[in-house]
Amino acid sequence: MNTVHLAWMLGRPSSTRGTSQILTVSAYAMVGAMLLVVLGGAYSFTSFEREAQAAYLPLAGFAVVLLAVPLMVLGSAAARLSARTQDRALSSLRLLGATGGQIRGVSLLQAAGTALAGAVAGVVLYLACSPLVAMIRFQGAPLGDAIYLPWWAVVAAVAAIVLLAVISSLAGLRKLIITPLAVATRQSVPVPSWIRALVTVGSVALLFFVFTNIGVVSQEIGTIIAVVILGFGFGLLILNLAGPWLVAVVGRSKLKKAVKPEQLLAARMILENPSESWRQVSGVAMASFVAVVGGSGAALMSMGNGQEPTGSWFDYLPQDILTGVLLTLVITFVCVAASASISQSASTLDRADLYDGLHKLGMGYEVMNAARTKSLMIPALTASIGFAIASVVLVLPLAGVAVLLKPLTVLVVILAVVLGLVLIRAAISVANPRRLLAERVAGHSGGIKIGEG
């Protein structure tokens, strides 16, 4: 039996894998649509006058870089769910004598096919949403047809999504190819070191010092903007380093204070792999960081724009910055909500034996679902609050007065973050253990049919 036929038999649509397959393709479609909308928005700024482009394009590029984080997390979550639904079958093939090359070929074909189907669906979704996106106003006018990307950019985006799926599949296969029993074992993961927190605190203090004395660094406005953007980018990177440690600390605290079964189980789920728990909500942390920094920047620009209108593109810049921040938050939280539902589905399938055992011992699925929900929302709240505090420390030297004098702008952004957390809470209901495990039981009871297809 050749590799292509085997890949089709293992990955074809099936009632026993319906939920996971739909979630995986939908996730890739979401990645494709969001990626194209973001790139289309940045591309539309090339229609502005030359002076406006000099200000808008760097801001758009910065937003694209920030949005790459939740988009990659969503794509990786889709790839992990796709692999999780097939890992035991691939492990069985390995035990039956299949070579590493055959296992790799089957997995890569499945990953590429699923990602391609989702990416093409994402292109259709992008074209369907574009008329609405085109109504968003920048520079006092709707974006219009400038939102549509050239065909080669669309093809490149689809290829990038397929490539991400293939790379994620290869990364997940390394352990399986080395040892076919890897899927059956659950090895402990290293606990994040407190040194991460020490490095983070030192870096935040250094950035605070730089921002406080930014006038000494340079008097050129271009240099100051570059230093600020690089400083915030470095701060975001450093804070992300401390994320797993922070989640582990909160998880241990919740474990000590647990008085209900769902609280104990949720804390154990977090501590099982703090890095994975952080990865699921890292987009929330980034959104909180962008919310505080972007909202403060918009407030600062509004203060500087109190004079009479000049009739130039600069009059629209403060409002456009706020619009850009809100759009970034919306896209981020949609991606995080989607990736959370995908990651939770993968985790539920991964813990299927644990859930089954707990249910046989008398624990209801409602308690398990409550524990699963807490295991995500606790890191999400930790990430949003922790990053918001850190970003406030960083932004005070630059826009502290603006925040005090223009609080409404900042409050609007904070409200967007709260609504985003509510969206995530609603999205993770997709991964209800009762429904996913019912499909798994149906799959086992149906048996394996040889020679079918």
Side-chain angles (χ1 to χ4, degrees):
M1 186 178 297
N2 60 46
T3 302
V4 175
H5 189 201
L6 188 59
W8 165 251
M9 288 187 63
L10 292 178
R12 61 187 171 181
S14 168
S15 59
T16 60
R17 297 188 300 267
T19 300
S20 59
Q21 289 174 330
I22 291 173
L23 284 173
T24 303
V25 174
S26 299
Y28 281 123
M30 186 70 70
V31 171
M34 291 298 178
L35 177 61
L36 292 172
V37 166
V38 170
L39 294 177
Y43 178 76
S44 67
F45 292 159
T46 59
S47 63
F48 293 172
E49 60 181 275
R50 187 173 298 276
E51 290 185 359
Q53 289 184 33
Y56 279 76
L57 288 179
L59 294 174
F62 187 54
V64 170
V65 171
L66 290 175
L67 289 171
V69 175
L71 285 172
M72 290 186 67
V73 170
L74 176 55
S76 298
R80 286 196 300 273
L81 178 58
S82 178
R84 180 57 62 195
T85 58
Q86 296 297 337
D87 60 358
R88 295 186 184 275
L90 293 176
S91 181
S92 298
L93 288 176
R94 182 67 168 137
L95 287 169
L96 291 173
T99 65
Q102 289 174 322
I103 297 296
R104 187 182 293 109
V106 170
S107 180
L108 294 185
L109 283 174
Q110 289 181 344
T114 305
L116 180 61
V120 171
V123 173
V124 176
L125 184 59
Y126 157 69
L127 294 176
C129 294
S130 291
L132 294 176
V133 179
M135 298 172 62
I136 298 175
R137 300 178 69 87
F138 279 91
Q139 284 291 292
L143 293 175
D145 293 340
I147 194 71
Y148 292 100
L149 290 165
W151 67 269
W152 56 265
V154 176
V155 173
V158 171
I161 293 171
V162 175
L163 180 61
L164 172 64
V166 170
I167 293 174
S168 298
S169 179
L170 281 174
L173 274 174
R174 288 188 61 188
K175 182 171 63 175
L176 179 61
I177 291 175
I178 292 173
T179 166
L181 297 178
V183 176
T185 60
R186 293 292 181 263
Q187 299 175 354
S188 60
V189 296
V191 178
S193 172
W194 58 269
I195 296 177
R196 293 173 179 242
L198 185 62
V199 172
T200 300
V201 172
S203 300
V204 170
L206 176 62
L207 288 174
F208 181 85
F209 176 78
V210 171
F211 289 159
T212 304
N213 300 276
I214 197 168
V216 180
V217 177
S218 176
Q219 298 295 326
E220 295 289 334
I221 185 64
T223 303
I224 292 176
I225 293 177
V227 170
V228 170
I229 291 179
L230 289 175
F232 282 125
F234 175 72
L236 187 60
L237 180 64
I238 290 297
L239 289 172
N240 190 65
L241 177 68
W245 174 84
L246 182 61
V247 168
V249 170
V250 174
R252 286 193 291 267
S253 175
K254 294 294 182 181
L255 181 63
K256 293 178 181 179
K257 298 178 181 178
V259 294
K260 297 181 180 178
E262 59 268 27
Q263 294 174 341
L264 178 62
L265 187 56
R268 287 293 186 186
M269 287 178 175
I270 294 172
L271 294 175
E272 180 184 17
N273 193 337
S275 296
E276 176 63 25
S277 297
W278 170 256
R279 193 178 298 116
Q280 293 185 46
V281 299
S282 58
V284 177
M286 189 214 70
S288 298
F289 189 88
V290 172
V292 174
V293 174
S296 302
L300 182 64
M301 293 294 298
S302 299
M303 285 185 58
N305 202 42
Q307 62 270 20
E308 292 295 325
T310 61
S312 67
W313 62 269
F314 190 80
D315 294 338
Y316 299 101
L317 186 58
Q319 181 60 42
D320 287 350
I321 289 179
L322 180 59
T323 301
V325 170
L326 293 177
L327 287 174
T328 301
L329 292 179
V330 169
I331 295 174
T332 296
F333 276 111
V334 169
C335 290
V336 172
S339 63
S341 63
I342 297 297
S343 298
Q344 286 290 299
S345 298
S347 297
T348 299
L349 293 174
D350 193 29
R351 298 183 176 118
D353 294 335
L354 171 63
Y355 286 138
D356 187 49
L358 290 174
H359 184 63
K360 290 179 179 178
L361 290 173
M363 181 177 288
Y365 281 114
E366 295 78 11
V367 176
M368 301 181 203
N369 195 45
R372 181 188 61 83
T373 301
K374 289 179 181 295
S375 72
L376 181 75
M377 294 308 298
I378 289 174
L381 291 173
T382 301
S384 59
I385 295 173
F387 268 54
I389 293 174
S391 55
V392 166
V393 172
L394 291 178
V395 86
L396 278 177
L398 300 177
V401 177
V403 174
L404 295 177
L405 298 181
K406 293 283 185 177
L408 183 60
T409 301
V410 180
L411 289 176
V412 169
V413 177
I414 293 176
L415 178 61
V417 173
V418 174
L419 292 177
L421 291 172
V422 173
L423 175 63
I424 293 172
R425 173 61 183 85
I428 60 177
S429 62
V430 173
N432 191 304
R434 183 190 296 273
R435 180 171 56 253
L436 288 180
L437 298 184
E439 287 189 354
R440 179 175 177 267
V441 171
H444 285 312
S445 63
I448 301 175
K449 300 179 180 179
I450 306 298
E452 184 181 346

